[in-house]
Every structure is written in structure tokens, then in C-alpha cells.
Amino acid sequence: MLLRGLLGPGAAAWSAISGLRGLVLLLLCLGGAVRASEITFELPDNAKQCFYEEIAQGTKCTLEFQVITGGHYDVDCRLEDPDGLVLYKEMKKQYDSFTFTASRNGTYKFCFSNEFSTFTHKTVYFDFQVGEDPPLFPSENRVTALTQMESACVSIHEALKSVIDYQTHFRLREAQGRSRAEDLNTRVAYWSIGEAIILLVVSIGQVFLLKSFFSDKRTTTTRVGS
Amino acid sequence: MAARGGLLVLVLLLLVSAVSRSFGLYFHLGETERRCFIEEIPDETMVIGNYRTQLYDKQREDYMPATPGLGMFVEVKDPDDKLILSRQYGSEGRFTFTSHAPGEHQICLHSNSTKFSLFAGGMLRVHLDIQVGEHANDYAEIAAKDKLSELQLRVRQLIEQVEQIQKEQNYQRWREERFRQTSESTNQRVLWWSIVQTLILVSIGLWQMRHLKSFFEAKKLV
């Protein structure tokens, strides 16, 4: 419905104005320092992994992380600014989100540590967003306000972004739940086999041990007492 | 007038896409170290990875772009642990793959350096940027190729986003079914184990009594 109205009469008019807008758009591509890095990595036991990013002053940044698999699903996280000042430090957290504004230019460093764990390696997901997303229709050199079509596009885009965000979180929680369920399944399998074997061994062993008490010569009463 | 303006924009947009984007996030990689990243994606999804390496230069005491001889091995494994991409790239590279099966894909990077002196005690700094699905699309290129106006381009972007969401939802259904199967299997196992354990206990108890009774009768104690 939206498309039919778009590709009809508007097309010719748009191509004329689009040249200027395209120029502005390209300038924004060059000048904008907007980055979002979403990475899932494996953190071995007793290991610490750090990531660095150069951020300009005044940029609003968000760090969000979640542990997907491994152990108690927790990790230590630490965020430092270029001077080494600790902006965020949490121990054994499963999920958290931290927003800050860069107070100075430089390289910011954030580390995830699994040093408290001896034999479980963890899978950690983090999303580091630097700066705000550029507007869909840049407002420099605009002659008129956004048309209805454009503002509809903008609101759809915002809604879709939030849908994608929720979807990502749902996927991570589901992965976590599935990992726990698979762990439980294997544990139940091993435990049931192991316990059946132990039962058999212990009960048969008991009988033979008891028999051995009585198998010696009649002068075994003292042995039975000890 | 409009055509010339359009041509200028086309040229400039192509220039922008040619200039390498400065991707910010980086990490340190040791000489023999291998770093793996996991991407859980639905099928038929394109993934583009860009990386750039820098080596510590002792003379200048700063990180400089690595020598062209230093390359990185990039290996991509699909959810069935099958290698779908295994290539060596230079010190700066871009790798692309499209998933044919839904699930966890593993992207591993390690350097091809065999001489330990190359790193000179420092670490290799690797800038990495991985774009998945709709984010991997180069909209400047699409606009230039199909000659779309800005609004048309944005609507195309919205369509791509929605398609990505749909794919993800389908994948979600598949995963949820697997989850349910695992839970039902656990349920079955617990049920069987409790029945079997009870049977074992009862039969072992009976066997013990019978065996001991016959043993004591034989020993003339009973």
C-alpha cells in the first residue's frame, strides 16, 4: 500500500531533489562516528579478554552484555576510560547494560574476566554502541519539514529497531535456557546409568562380603565381633 | 541539471563505498593465538566481516599498519562443524559468507606468522567489524545500481529489515522445537530411570534374601 503510492507520481519529483539529499547523506556517512559492534565470543576458564575502542569526547555510548552458556552464567566486567579510571565494574553478573558519555577523547577499554572459574568456559555476548544512529532523513539543507511518507518511514524504522532488539534478547535467553536443558539431559543420563551400576555393584558386593564372614572355619566369632 | 546532479552523487557515493570504513573495535592477538567468534543466524543470511591489522613498531613506539606479508587465516564453520570458508587474507581483508543452515556459525581468526620475531614482543592489534543480514547491505551501492531516490531507498531498507525479522522468527520456531524435544527427552529419561531403579531395588532385595537363605541353610546355621 505504501509502495504503490511511493512509486507513482512522487518518483519524478524525488529524483530532482534526491541529488542534494544524497550529497548530505554521503557527508553524514563520512562524518558520522556511529558504530555498533555486536560480538559473541568464547571465554575460556581462567581467562580475561579485553576490547578497545577509540571514542570522541561527548559521544553517548552503551555497553550491554549477557552470558549465554557455561557454569553459573556469570562473568566479571570492567570498563575503563583512557586515564585508567574505572567507569563500570561488576563481579559475577549475568546480564547488564551500562550507558555513559565519553568525558574525553581516547581509547576506552572493557574486559570480561572468567578468572574465578576453574573449568567452565563461558560464551559471552556484548553489544557496544557508540553514538546515536544517524537520522533516516537528514535534516540539513531541508526546505520543508518531513512529509507524511517520510515521517511514517521514520516511525516504522524506530519500531523495527526495537523489534530487532527484543528479538536479539529473546534469542539469547532462549539459547541460555536451551543450554541449561541440554546440560540437565546429559546429567540425568549419566546419573541414572551411574546409579544403576552402583546399586548393582554394592548390593552384590554386600552379599559376597557377608558370605566371606561365614566362609572361614568355625572359629570366626571373634572376627565377626571386630 | 538533475541528471548531472545525480551523476555527481553517484560518483561521490561510489567513492564513499570505496573508502574503507574506519571500524573502531579492536583487540590484541598473540602470535599463535586463535580467536573465535560465534554468530547464531538463520539460514540464507549474508555475513560480511571486515578486519584491519596493526603491528607495534618499536622505532615509532606506536601501532602502524602491518606489513603486507602478514596475513590472517579466516575459518568459518557451520553448525554441523563443516568448514565453509577457509582462506588466507592479507593484513587487511574482507570476508563474506552466506549461511545455508540455521544455527551457530563459528568465525575463527589467527595470524599466519611463523617467525616469532615478527611480532617483536608486542601484540597484533586486530580491528574487527562483523555485519549480519540487513546490516551487511551497502545501501549506497543499491541506490546507485537501481537508481532509487532517498525515500525509495529507505523503504527498501525497511523491507530488508522486516524480512530479516521474519527469517529470525522462523529460526526461532525451529529452535523452540529443539528445546521442547530436549525437555521431553529429559522427562522420558527421568521416568524410565525411576521405574528401572525401583525394579532393580526390588529384584536385588529378593535375590539377596534368597541367596543368603540358601547359603545359611547350606552352612547349617539356620
Side-chain angles (χ1 to χ4, degrees):
Chain A
M1 189 178 73
L2 207 65
L3 272 175
R4 259 182 266 136
L6 157 72
L7 296 172
W14 284 128
S15 57
I17 316 167
S18 70
L20 193 61
R21 288 218 194 121
L23 199 68
V24 174
L25 177 67
L26 112 85
L27 284 172
L28 249 133
C29 284
L30 286 172
V34 175
R35 285 181 290 271
S37 314
E38 227 181 42
I39 286 184
T40 311
F41 66 98
E42 210 174 85
L43 192 60
D45 45 306
N46 279 321
K48 178 174 162 172
Q49 276 183 11
C50 295
F51 295 86
Y52 309 80
E53 178 130 17
E54 277 189 40
I55 305 176
Q57 187 177 9
T59 320
K60 183 166 162 230
C61 311
T62 309
L63 172 67
E64 206 176 317
F65 68 91
Q66 186 168 355
V67 184
I68 306 176
T69 64
H72 289 290
Y73 303 86
D74 52 2
V75 75
D76 295 341
C77 178
R78 187 189 171 96
L79 174 66
E80 285 174 10
D81 79 350
D83 299 320
L85 184 72
V86 176
L87 295 172
Y88 170 82
K89 182 177 160 168
E90 283 287 344
M91 314 293 283
K92 298 199 180 177
K93 265 277 194 175
Q94 287 192 0
Y95 156 79
D96 207 2
S97 169
F98 176 65
T99 309
F100 67 99
T101 308
S103 53
R104 44 159 293 190
N105 288 335
T107 306
Y108 285 72
K109 163 177 156 173
F110 56 99
C111 298
F112 296 99
S113 162
N114 194 21
E115 280 154 347
F116 55 84
S117 168
T118 38
F119 52 83
T120 46
H121 55 264
K122 312 232 160 104
T123 311
V124 179
Y125 159 90
F126 74 85
D127 179 13
F128 193 56
Q129 173 106 11
V130 175
E132 300 283 345
D133 282 332
L136 216 54
F137 298 99
S139 50
E140 283 89 8
N141 291 343
R142 286 197 76 87
V143 186
T144 55
L146 286 179
T147 66
Q148 233 181 356
M149 189 77 97
E150 289 175 345
S151 43
C153 277
V154 168
S155 46
I156 293 174
H157 184 68
E158 293 299 316
L160 286 180
K161 269 202 298 197
S162 101
V163 168
I164 291 174
D165 194 37
Y166 283 134
Q167 208 174 43
T168 306
H169 283 295
F170 186 62
R171 168 173 66 85
L172 294 172
R173 288 248 175 261
E174 189 271 341
Q176 210 180 32
R178 191 159 32 93
S179 148
R180 276 194 223 241
E182 281 168 4
D183 263 348
L184 185 64
N185 199 13
T186 4
R187 269 188 224 162
V188 163
Y190 285 143
W191 182 40
S192 53
I193 293 171
E195 188 158 337
I197 293 173
I198 290 176
L199 263 179
L200 285 168
V201 163
V202 164
S203 41
I204 295 174
Q206 267 181 341
V207 168
F208 284 110
L209 191 63
L210 208 61
K211 277 168 71 169
S212 74
F213 287 156
F214 294 95
S215 301
D216 293 335
K217 303 169 213 29
R218 283 296 171 149
T219 56
T220 55
T221 41
T222 47
R223 259 201 67 192
V224 171
S226 67
Chain B
M1 165 63 184
R4 208 183 297 165
L7 187 65
L8 176 67
V9 170
L10 171 66
V11 167
L12 285 167
L13 280 172
L14 284 172
L15 261 172
V16 169
S17 52
V19 166
S20 57
R21 283 170 49 203
S22 61
F23 18 98
L25 194 77
Y26 65 85
F27 54 90
H28 289 143
L29 193 68
E31 192 127 5
T32 50
E33 209 184 322
R34 189 191 160 96
R35 280 284 182 102
C36 289
F37 300 96
I38 299 168
E39 288 293 332
E40 194 175 358
I41 45 179
D43 57 347
E44 307 308 322
T45 304
M46 185 161 76
V47 176
I48 295 180
N50 288 292
Y51 74 87
R52 186 164 66 94
T53 53
Q54 282 179 326
L55 201 54
Y56 190 70
D57 189 339
K58 269 210 178 125
Q59 287 168 336
R60 289 185 235 192
E61 286 189 0
D62 194 9
Y63 280 87
M64 303 304 296
T67 57
L70 183 68
M72 297 286 285
F73 271 111
V74 177
E75 283 166 9
V76 179
K77 285 201 184 140
D78 76 348
D80 303 317
D81 259 344
K82 207 173 52 156
L83 214 60
I84 56 177
L85 178 75
S86 174
R87 267 191 64 180
Q88 185 179 340
Y89 295 85
S91 61
E92 209 175 294
R94 177 193 162 104
F95 56 91
T96 309
F97 68 92
T98 306
S99 61
H100 295 294
E104 278 188 6
H105 289 71
Q106 211 178 43
I107 301 167
C108 290
L109 293 168
H110 63 274
S111 71
N112 70 342
S113 157
T114 46
K115 304 184 281 288
F116 281 85
S117 59
L118 201 66
F119 278 36
M123 298 278 252
L124 187 69
R125 197 184 263 190
V126 181
H127 296 250
L128 185 66
D129 179 44
I130 300 176
Q131 300 292 335
V132 173
E134 179 264 328
H135 295 289
N137 285 337
D138 188 357
Y139 287 105
E141 202 186 303
I142 294 173
K145 195 174 67 146
D146 296 338
K147 297 184 192 37
L148 299 172
S149 74
E150 199 189 344
L151 189 62
Q152 288 171 322
L153 181 68
R154 289 302 168 215
V155 172
R156 175 76 68 92
Q157 189 179 358
L158 290 175
I159 293 173
E160 300 274 343
Q161 268 187 314
V162 170
E163 277 175 4
Q164 187 69 30
I165 291 173
Q166 266 186 312
K167 265 195 240 175
E168 189 78 39
Q169 296 283 35
N170 277 334
Y171 176 41
Q172 184 58 38
R173 264 197 217 178
W174 179 85
R175 271 183 312 209
E176 190 270 337
E177 195 180 314
R178 253 188 60 188
F179 191 165
R180 206 163 11 101
Q181 276 172 356
T182 308
S183 300
E184 278 175 11
S185 154
T186 307
N187 196 18
Q188 286 283 336
R189 281 184 194 180
V190 167
L191 181 68
W192 272 116
W193 169 68
S194 51
I195 291 172
V196 165
Q197 197 194 25
T198 312
L199 284 173
I200 288 179
L201 271 174
V202 167
S203 58
I204 283 283
L206 288 171
W207 174 80
Q208 273 185 332
M209 290 303 112
R210 218 171 40 126
H211 193 85
L212 283 174
K213 188 167 171 216
S214 64
F215 174 68
F216 286 138
E217 278 170 356
K219 287 282 176 185
K220 299 186 178 58
L221 290 170
V222 177

